[in-house]
Amino acid sequence: MIHPYEPDLLGFARRHAVPVTFVALCLTLCVLSGQGPAFLAGEVVTRLVRNSFTTLSLIVPVLAGLGLNFGIVLGAMAAQMAVIAVVHWNMSGLSGFLAAAALAVPLALVFGWLVGLLFNRAKGREMVTGLIASFFANGLYQLLFLFLVGTLIPFHDPGLLLPEGYGLRNTVNLAPVNYALDDILSATWIPHQGVTWAVGGAKKADSAPSVELPNPVAQNTSGQGTPVKVPIGTFVVIAGLCLAIGALMSTKLGQDMRAVGQDMHIAEIAGIPVDRTRLIAVAISTVLAAWGHLVYLQNMGTLNTYSSHEQIGMFGVASLLVGGASVTRATVWQALLGTLLFHTLFVTSPLAGKTLMGDPQIGEFFRVFVAYGVIALALALHAWRGGNQK
Amino acid sequence: MRERVLSLYEKWVVKHVAEIGIPRLLIGCFVAALLCVAYLYDMNLSLLLSDSLVRVGRNGILVLALLPAVQGGLGLNFGLPVGVAAGLVGLLVPMNLDVGGWKCFLVATALAAIFGWLAGLAYGWLLNRVKGQEMMVGTYVGFSAVSGMCIFWLLAPFHNRKLIWPIGGIGLRTTLPCTSGMSHILDNLGKLELGQLAIPTGLLLYFLLLCGLVALFFRTRTGLAIRAAGENPLYAKACGISEDRTRLQAAALSTMLAAIGIVAFSSSYGFVQLYQAPLMVAFPAVAALLIGGGSVSRASVSHVVIGTLLFQTLLTIALPVANKVVTGDISEVARVIVANGMILYALTRGPR
Amino acid sequence: MPHILELTGIAKEYYGNRVLKGVDLAVGEGEIVCLVGENGAGKSTLMNILFGMPVVHSTGGFSGSVKIGGKSVEIDSPFKAMACGVGMVHQEFMLLPGFTVSENIKLNRELTRPTALSRAVGGLDEAAGRRLERLDHAAMDADARAALARVGLEVSEDTTVGTLPVGHKQFIEIAREVDRKNARLLVFDEPSAVLTESEAERLLETMRALASDGIGILFITHRLDEVMAVADRIVVLRDGERVAELKKSEASVQRIAELMVGRKIEKRELPPRSFEVSDKEMALDLQDLKVEMPGEPVTGVSFTVRRGEIFGIGGLAGYGKLGVANGVAGIYPSGGRVLKDGEDLPLNDPAGALRRRVAFLSEDRRGVGLLLDESIELNIGLTSLQVQGKFLQSWLPGLSLLDRGNLRGHAREMIEWLDIRCVGPDQPVRRLSGGNQQKVCIAKAITLDPDLLFVSEPTRGVDVGAKQRILDELVALNRERRMTIVVTSSELAELRSVCDRIAIVARGKVSRVLAPDAPDVDFGLAMAG
């Protein structure tokens, strides 16, 4: 019998098998990718900025016993609706971003509430319901923006509509709100040259182009000099969210969520409003996902109207699981670590595929396989253990 | 008088609606309405119906593949891509050897059945360990299978120049034309042409033959055991039936049918689609079964046939009709909404 | 002594079945009142009424009055009961395994402190604001420690409950009730069933301590020695009536046992046998059978059943009587040795038992016995088809299909013989009444053509008229087909009316094998173990 706190490497590895495996995999892939640390650091920082908020939005429903909330895709849709409206109204900068964040809240609340109602009707299979709900909502979303906007819904903005006069363009330029949050305060590190600070995007004009790397292989030639931009502002917001989740879980509401998450029946007997608590958890998660998606979009600078949101659920869930979380247990640290690992894998695997097989496509297929595979594995392990306990 | 009308309403309308099921009724009415609209717009109904019959034959077996899983208590088998992947491997073996015609179809079907059965046993073994979460695990096992097979298609030892990318000499192409004589082989078997209405007799008979075989299977001792264990595992246990065994058989049969189904599909379509193409294959199939009146825990061959007929007719007719009424290709969006809406409906109603 | 609880003239009907017929019950401050009675005597219904369980109100409510602390109250929900200061120590633990002891004791009664946010939200919506207050763990832990001290459990309040032994959980459950500031009356519903001897002893001490603090205690138990150890007063329920109220000085274990069971046996004349039942021919011989059946554990049962007799197994709920048949039939994991006709019967092998012509009708008819959505005919024939290959028609070598015609004919015969009221053999059994469902089960068993039949709770959930018919069918099977039958039932009267001998199982063992006309007191004592 080993004491759980004893420094015991094997035991540690066994208890944290998933993250340990992925750390090893990531390190291998980093080496195989043949890229310098500056390039990797830059990429990983960017990915953390973009995705950690969304991954964090999954924690609350896990603790409330709803499992992995694939319904956060609806939150992302709310965010996209809000950001389209903001662009349409010609708002820009931080005020535009904040307006979008404010507008996304009522939308996400409504969506989250509806998803929560579905979950309460499908207790015990929330996850598959959430997944299908996200597909279904995606259909409605396409119906709305491809066909109804400009026809049934009076909306005339040639900049946003397709040439036919109805339906939104496939991409929306988000330049007005690009880096709105990142640039509140950012630090740029250029190897061998030191760090430069920028406040409120003052140095935006000459800020490094390193954030967008459409072709990582080509970037490789730029060598060691690639600057790494660290958007301190966004990281502060993410840290704030982590604290807020902690604070929420230490309230009476958070305690109720944990109780409902462990056993709905006992919680009900104790007088906790089970269904309502679950609804609140889903609504909170959806609103956070909407904000998370806005953080992602302001960093990206463009919106793929019909695809930006689609992968959000899968990436978020895979990230959380890679960090060592399970269907019933998740912490802020697991979310952050998972985002870091999963996206490192995502960046490096095509490069490693190129090195190994001379074909980046293998790496691309590999990372998709890992994303799906890790979710399948985690779900199977969870159900497996759950079954054994009975 | 009012009471009499009400009691008549209770007796006839409520009872019959309950029997047919609201979804089936709605979709049926919708299809009927579409047909009317198509007629009013002077569209070529014969062509539409021919098209819809071909699609019924093509997709029917994939819907049928869901049946053993539902009967066996595994729920809706979102892991259909596992079988599809196995079937594609079986299909590519004769194609790689440049075999064509019936020989190719039969060999491919036989290999698909074997690979499908084996893959299904492995899949069933996993599902036995995740009781209660089959649908969620199945969905992601299916996704993983498709993405894992993507790597396989790139690396697999197929060397036929017609199949691989022209440059590099390795890796299968995304879409492969079927070997000569293999495409439409079932469609053309005893094809009937009544004016412009073409009936793919062979394809439909093949689908109905498999339906018949499955129906017969569920009247054998093994089939009845699967059904009993799926409905009430405790009952099965008291009968001395091993639930784990029947679930394994159900998963293997379902996966095998999916493998056979994709061979028929590819042959009728004329092309083999690899890589990401089979990713979402389970969802329209599940929707068809549910529209036909099946549920998470109960389904029959008639649900399969009716559901496929309704759903595929809906899809074939919706496209041209929608294009007449509204501009733009709304049918794909409609398919997504109808299919997933149907599945959501079933998930929130079915027993736990 | 002022009364904390006064129940007067409580009567309750379930679907025309009178389960309580004007019961009075009072508990005084600091008094321990024991409530004893057989299964079905009305104890649970009385408690359901006291706790305002929804099942009472959804079935038409009750009549009579409830007074707490001298005031008439209408308890329409469990929360109302709690608010009135009535606490319940559940039979199954209502504890969250992942929470600490302190969190469990304070479940949904957490102590909180307002924060800026909770005040702001509270201005808009008071309840929402309260939910946003921060937990005050220090204060909660202090309360938990005090409650633990009162029940005498030495365990740290920050231990996770899931890691604790069963006995501790029972005390935490009590501590939670004690922690309520307004706790005045505590109901203990068979709390000692899961405890070891020494834990049970401590439980009684805790009860005495709580009573001396002025809390009234209502103690429901089957262990008569415990009753004698702590009770100030004893109330005996039988068939929904309060048959006696004894002071401790008037009571003895024998007297209580007699009062619990006592009823006039209507010994009906059973049809005579055309064959002889003798001690020489044994149909079944159980040797130290152990069965792990949740809620009905069997720890070692031995008895023999003579060929051709009707043998009864009786006893109180949770004491293991149901486990015996389930173990022999292979439904739950079992150990020990079972001989049928002198040869070993394989254990844990339902198919093996069926092949040896041992059939079992489960007490859980709807859960185990039937496929509710399938037709009557399939329910009747499927087990025989699976085990014996009946109703199969060979089409090709290796391909046999269900022979519908044959099955339907057989089903029609059974429907007629057992008088199953239905639309036809293809009607789903879900739509049948409880009695007709039971007849379908009997038809299923007859189709198997067993020579040894286990029947558990044959008349549970069956309306009064059909009860006698089902018992008559069992007797007919025994007399006409020479079937050996083992009946397990909670209704002792039922067993006494049809059985040749009755084994009483208590705490997982056979306490006695009695003749049906043995004195009531013997049955009562045997049942209490």
Side-chain angles (χ1 to χ4, degrees):
Chain A
M1 184 81 196
I2 296 163
H3 190 272
Y5 300 109
E6 207 172 301
D8 157 35
L9 222 59
L10 257 180
F12 177 85
R14 208 175 296 131
R15 272 193 307 281
H16 304 280
V18 177
V20 166
T21 313
F22 275 90
V23 165
L25 190 61
C26 281
L27 288 177
T28 319
L29 287 173
C30 282
V31 173
L32 284 175
S33 71
Q35 298 295 319
F39 166 80
L40 290 174
E43 274 295 290
V44 167
V45 164
T46 309
R47 301 289 180 151
L48 266 182
V49 168
R50 280 183 198 160
N51 297 297
S52 30
F53 202 110
T54 313
T55 312
L56 286 165
S57 75
L58 288 165
I59 292 180
V60 172
V62 167
L63 295 177
L66 290 142
L68 304 161
N69 180 15
F70 286 87
I72 59 166
V73 173
L74 279 92
M77 287 177 193
Q80 289 179 185
M81 291 176 184
V83 84
I84 287 167
V86 164
V87 169
H88 174 60
W89 292 328
N90 284 324
M91 298 173 82
S92 63
L94 190 59
S95 60
F97 178 82
L98 291 177
L103 185 58
V105 171
L107 289 172
L109 273 181
V110 172
F111 294 168
W113 202 259
L114 292 174
V115 172
L117 287 176
L118 276 180
F119 286 177
N120 278 343
R121 292 203 56 168
K123 282 179 188 147
R125 41 180 181 236
E126 290 91 351
M127 286 194 274
V128 67
T129 304
L131 185 69
I132 303 290
S134 75
F135 292 157
F136 178 67
N138 196 21
L140 293 179
Y141 178 92
Q142 288 183 4
L143 182 72
L144 178 68
F145 284 117
L146 265 179
F147 297 102
L148 299 185
V149 164
T151 52
L152 277 179
I153 301 168
F155 179 87
H156 304 287
D157 187 335
L160 288 173
L161 290 181
L162 289 165
E164 289 93 330
Y166 69 89
L168 285 184
R169 285 173 185 274
N170 289 332
T171 52
V172 174
N173 187 358
L174 298 183
V177 291
N178 199 191
Y179 303 130
L181 189 62
D182 293 0
D183 279 350
I184 293 176
L185 174 66
S186 66
T188 307
W189 173 64
I190 304 168
H192 318 299
Q193 288 177 40
V195 177
T196 48
W197 293 83
V199 180
K203 290 203 65 181
K204 195 179 171 184
D206 54 46
S207 72
S210 73
V211 185
E212 266 309 298
L213 290 170
N215 186 350
V217 183
Q219 278 293 323
N220 189 23
T221 52
S222 66
Q224 294 286 304
T226 320
V228 178
K229 187 174 124 180
V230 183
I232 311 277
T234 311
F235 277 122
V236 168
V237 170
I238 292 169
L241 174 65
C242 294
L243 292 177
I245 290 175
L248 172 70
M249 292 321 288
S250 70
T251 63
K252 167 79 177 116
L253 180 62
Q255 186 81 354
D256 288 353
M257 285 179 184
R258 288 175 59 218
V260 170
Q262 285 201 29
D263 193 319
M264 276 190 262
H265 177 61
I266 293 179
E268 183 102 62
I269 298 257
I272 297 170
V274 171
D275 282 5
R276 201 182 155 76
T277 306
R278 285 161 52 97
L279 277 177
I280 293 173
V282 180
I284 289 176
S285 164
T286 314
V287 170
L288 290 181
W291 287 346
H293 198 53
L294 283 175
V295 172
Y296 170 86
L297 291 174
Q298 62 89 32
N299 183 287
M300 289 291 289
T302 51
L303 164 67
N304 292 319
T305 316
Y306 303 109
S307 61
S308 278
H309 57 282
E310 280 188 329
Q311 304 288 339
I312 286 297
M314 180 183 91
F315 285 4
V317 165
S319 300
L320 191 64
L321 294 173
V322 165
S326 74
V327 177
T328 49
R329 225 171 274 174
T331 65
V332 167
W333 294 114
Q334 286 166 338
L336 295 178
L337 176 68
T339 311
L340 180 78
L341 289 175
F342 182 71
H343 288 283
T344 307
L345 194 96
F346 224 75
V347 171
T348 52
S349 55
L351 301 170
K354 171 96 183 144
T355 317
L356 273 182
M357 304 281 186
D359 189 354
Q361 233 194 334
I362 290 190
E364 256 159 55
F365 286 140
F366 177 70
R367 67 185 184 182
V368 177
F369 175 63
V370 166
Y372 286 134
V374 74
I375 299 177
L377 191 70
L379 293 171
L381 281 179
H382 169 68
W384 198 325
R385 281 187 201 139
N388 285 352
Q389 274 164 14
K390 268 173 208 163
Chain B
M1 184 63 203
R2 199 169 152 264
E3 273 162 24
R4 269 197 60 188
V5 172
L6 272 180
S7 85
L8 268 178
Y9 169 81
E10 287 275 321
K11 254 194 196 137
W12 290 96
V13 182
V14 173
K15 190 177 157 224
H16 283 91
V17 166
E19 253 171 37
I20 299 170
I22 290 169
R24 217 185 326 181
L25 202 67
L26 275 180
I27 302 281
C29 291
F30 191 51
V31 168
L34 279 176
L35 281 172
C36 294
V37 173
Y39 179 73
L40 289 177
Y41 272 90
D42 262 343
M43 294 165 71
N44 191 333
L45 278 184
S46 307
L47 274 185
L48 286 180
L49 284 179
S50 311
D51 199 15
S52 123
L53 285 178
V54 170
R55 295 184 64 148
V56 168
R58 247 179 232 171
N59 292 285
I61 303 169
L62 291 172
V63 183
L64 181 67
L66 297 166
L67 188 61
V70 173
Q71 294 269 35
L74 300 166
L76 303 167
N77 183 8
F78 289 109
L80 230 48
V82 175
V84 169
L88 289 173
V89 176
L91 180 54
L92 285 175
V93 170
M95 281 177 67
N96 189 44
L97 299 173
D98 261 333
V99 179
W102 279 108
K103 210 165 153 191
C104 177
F105 181 77
L106 294 175
V107 170
T109 301
L111 286 178
I114 295 168
F115 294 155
W117 183 264
L118 293 176
L121 285 179
Y123 177 56
W125 177 85
L126 177 67
L127 289 188
N128 269 348
R129 266 138 204 90
V130 297
K131 280 179 195 164
Q133 293 286 325
E134 293 93 348
M135 290 196 271
M136 195 64 207
V137 173
T139 306
Y140 273 90
V141 168
F143 287 167
S144 316
V146 170
S147 48
M149 287 310 281
C150 285
I151 303 175
F152 176 78
W153 303 132
L154 269 184
L155 301 177
F158 291 111
H159 300 294
N160 190 324
R161 297 219 159 270
K162 290 175 196 154
L163 304 183
I164 56 176
W165 292 111
I167 320 155
I170 190 153
L172 293 162
R173 293 182 218 180
T174 320
T175 308
L176 310 170
C178 285
T179 18
S180 61
M182 220 278 260
S183 50
H184 311 304
I185 195 163
L186 286 172
D187 304 46
N188 294 334
L189 179 69
K191 190 170 196 160
L192 284 178
E193 307 225 7
L194 309 169
Q196 281 175 305
L197 180 69
I199 301 173
T201 320
L203 188 65
L204 292 179
L205 282 181
Y206 185 60
F207 168 47
L208 292 177
L209 171 77
L210 286 174
C211 283
L213 286 179
V214 170
L216 280 186
F217 173 73
F218 279 104
R219 284 179 58 190
T220 63
R221 194 157 159 171
T222 317
L224 285 166
I226 290 177
R227 195 163 132 190
E231 198 177 320
N232 185 347
L234 285 172
Y235 178 96
K237 190 177 177 186
C239 282
I241 298 168
S242 156
E243 190 208 358
D244 280 2
R245 202 178 131 87
T246 59
R247 284 168 55 103
L248 208 58
Q249 288 164 338
L253 188 60
S254 173
T255 312
M256 186 179 87
L257 281 170
I260 294 174
I262 198 67
V263 173
F265 181 98
S266 304
S267 143
S268 165
Y269 184 57
F271 295 94
V272 183
Q273 295 170 294
L274 300 179
Y275 296 97
Q276 301 283 348
L279 191 67
M280 303 305 257
V281 69
F283 296 91
V286 167
L289 183 71
L290 297 173
I291 287 171
S295 75
V296 177
S297 53
R298 272 182 90 74
S300 69
V301 172
S302 66
H303 294 151
V304 170
V305 176
I306 294 172
T308 317
L309 213 58
L310 278 179
F311 189 56
Q312 294 301 335
T313 312
L314 176 76
L315 294 185
T316 7
I317 303 175
L319 168 72
V321 169
N323 285 346
K324 286 267 175 183
V325 181
V326 282
T327 35
D329 181 3
I330 204 167
S331 72
E332 172 60 19
V333 173
R335 187 182 69 80
V336 169
I337 295 176
V338 171
N340 291 302
M342 208 46 243
I343 302 173
L344 264 190
Y345 176 81
L347 283 175
T348 49
R349 302 204 84 213
R352 277 174 202 144
Chain C
M1 186 164 49
H3 280 158
I4 289 178
L5 173 73
E6 271 184 275
L7 302 174
T8 7
I10 304 288
K12 168 76 191 158
E13 272 188 17
Y14 278 122
Y15 310 108
N17 195 359
R18 288 182 69 201
V19 289
L20 284 177
K21 305 163 188 167
V23 171
D24 298 345
L25 180 71
V27 181
E29 221 169 75
E31 189 186 25
I32 301 178
V33 176
C34 283
L35 186 62
V36 295
E38 260 193 288
N39 301 121
K43 291 173 304 191
S44 326
T45 310
L46 196 60
M47 289 306 109
N48 285 345
I49 288 170
L50 177 56
F51 283 93
M53 296 309 249
V55 59
V56 173
H57 298 276
S58 63
T59 52
F62 64 98
S63 60
S65 80
V66 179
K67 276 188 188 172
I68 291 177
K71 268 181 285 180
S72 268
V73 284
E74 195 178 323
I75 299 180
D76 47 15
S77 77
F79 308 118
K80 185 80 176 281
M82 284 184 217
C84 292
V86 182
M88 171 77 147
V89 179
H90 295 274
Q91 221 168 342
E92 309 136 52
F93 302 127
M94 292 294 170
L95 297 173
L96 293 170
F99 271 24
T100 64
V101 171
S102 154
E103 284 172 323
N104 264 300
I105 289 178
K106 285 293 187 183
L107 185 62
N108 205 27
R109 291 183 295 111
E110 290 91 351
L111 302 173
T112 53
R113 276 207 209 111
T115 60
L117 179 67
S118 75
R119 281 200 196 94
V121 174
L124 302 168
D125 181 343
E126 217 187 308
R130 219 172 298 131
R131 284 189 102 183
L132 287 174
E133 289 179 357
R134 264 184 101 83
L135 298 189
D136 185 348
H137 280 284
M140 283 164 61
D141 288 350
D143 272 14
R145 271 194 300 274
L148 289 172
R150 273 184 86 183
V151 300
L153 182 66
E154 281 171 29
V155 56
S156 168
E157 72 282 354
D158 55 6
T159 323
T160 308
V161 162
T163 60
L164 292 173
V166 178
H168 285 184
K169 289 182 187 168
Q170 182 72 74
F171 285 94
I172 292 166
E173 186 100 349
I174 300 168
R176 175 163 74 196
E177 299 309 317
V178 167
D179 178 61
R180 283 179 213 286
K181 291 292 165 277
N182 64 351
R184 300 154 81 181
L185 176 74
L186 279 186
V187 178
F188 288 77
D189 188 2
E190 292 191 54
S192 52
V194 291
L195 300 184
T196 61
E197 291 279 313
S198 63
E199 283 168 342
E201 191 53 45
R202 238 193 32 238
L203 178 76
L204 300 182
E205 267 166 45
T206 307
M207 273 190 213
R208 286 190 205 105
L210 291 173
S212 66
D213 287 350
I215 292 178
I217 288 176
L218 190 57
F219 183 25
I220 303 174
T221 183
H222 290 313
R223 296 191 176 177
L224 299 184
D225 46 341
E226 285 176 358
V227 172
M228 293 306 296
V230 290
D232 295 317
R233 255 180 329 123
I234 297 140
V235 174
V236 185
L237 281 189
R238 190 206 305 154
D239 292 337
E241 278 175 278
R242 195 187 69 169
V243 290
E245 180 175 327
L246 310 168
K247 289 207 191 77
K248 188 178 182 178
S249 52
E250 306 164 344
S252 70
V253 171
Q254 279 78 7
R255 181 143 170 67
I256 301 172
E258 200 171 359
L259 283 166
M260 266 167 68
V261 175
R263 76 184 62 170
K264 287 183 216 93
I265 310 161
E266 307 151 39
K267 184 69 189 174
R268 294 180 315 115
E269 272 311 306
L270 293 174
R273 284 193 174 86
S274 60
F275 53 94
E276 245 179 76
V277 174
S278 82
D279 283 336
K280 284 176 202 140
E281 283 186 88
M282 288 301 166
L284 184 72
D285 184 3
L286 301 186
Q287 298 176 2
D288 199 27
L289 179 73
K290 296 184 178 71
V291 186
E292 284 175 43
M293 177 172 172
E296 290 276 342
V298 178
T299 52
V301 155
S302 307
F303 61 75
T304 53
V305 178
R306 294 172 297 184
R307 183 168 299 156
E309 80 175 330
I310 300 183
F311 189 84
I313 303 178
L316 296 163
Y319 272 23
K321 66 169 182 300
L322 290 171
V324 178
N326 277 292
V328 176
I331 309 291
Y332 288 100
S334 51
R337 195 166 175 214
V338 176
L339 298 174
K340 182 184 176 267
D341 302 325
E343 280 170 54
D344 266 306
L345 188 76
L347 287 176
N348 305 312
D349 177 9
L354 285 166
R355 275 195 293 272
R356 292 283 300 279
R357 301 179 69 197
V358 178
F360 170 53
L361 296 189
S362 170
E363 67 285 352
D364 187 1
R365 209 156 49 223
R366 298 168 68 91
V368 179
L370 293 169
L371 294 171
L372 289 171
D373 289 315
E374 298 293 351
S375 61
I376 294 174
E377 54 187 13
L378 199 64
N379 269 286
I380 290 177
L382 189 58
T383 309
S384 309
L385 184 150
Q386 291 295 334
V387 178
Q388 300 160 336
K390 281 186 191 170
F391 310 114
L392 283 172
Q393 197 174 19
S394 180
W395 285 55
L396 291 169
L399 176 69
S400 305
L401 295 180
L402 173 68
D403 183 350
R404 285 230 171 102
N406 187 355
L407 177 61
R408 178 148 301 182
H410 175 76
R412 280 192 202 285
E413 240 171 67
M414 282 294 151
I415 287 170
E416 199 178 329
W417 193 63
L418 291 169
D419 190 23
I420 301 172
R421 303 283 163 83
C422 60
V423 183
D426 54 352
Q427 192 183 12
V429 290
R430 188 185 288 282
R431 302 212 196 119
L432 299 179
S433 71
N436 283 313
Q437 286 180 349
Q438 183 65 288
K439 286 181 190 169
V440 172
C441 288
I442 294 177
K444 176 177 105 172
I446 296 172
T447 307
L448 280 165
D449 193 22
D451 49 23
L452 176 59
L453 174 66
F454 282 89
V455 191
S456 290
E457 304 287 7
T459 61
R460 183 189 278 178
V462 172
D463 56 85
V464 184
K467 272 186 183 182
Q468 197 52 54
R469 272 203 67 92
I470 285 170
L471 293 177
D472 289 345
E473 299 297 354
L474 292 178
V475 174
L477 284 177
N478 174 258
R479 300 298 192 267
E480 289 163 24
R481 301 195 179 208
R482 302 193 178 194
M483 215 181 271
T484 311
I485 298 178
V486 180
V487 191
T488 310
S489 174
S490 304
E491 296 203 24
L492 195 54
E494 181 177 299
L495 293 178
R496 290 168 90 172
S497 72
V498 296
C499 293
D500 297 299
R501 291 184 302 150
I502 299 162
I504 300 296
V505 176
R507 297 184 205 178
K509 291 187 163 43
V510 174
S511 56
R512 272 185 90 176
V513 179
L514 295 160
D517 49 5
D520 293 347
V521 62
D522 288 359
F523 276 106
L525 286 173
M527 286 168 92

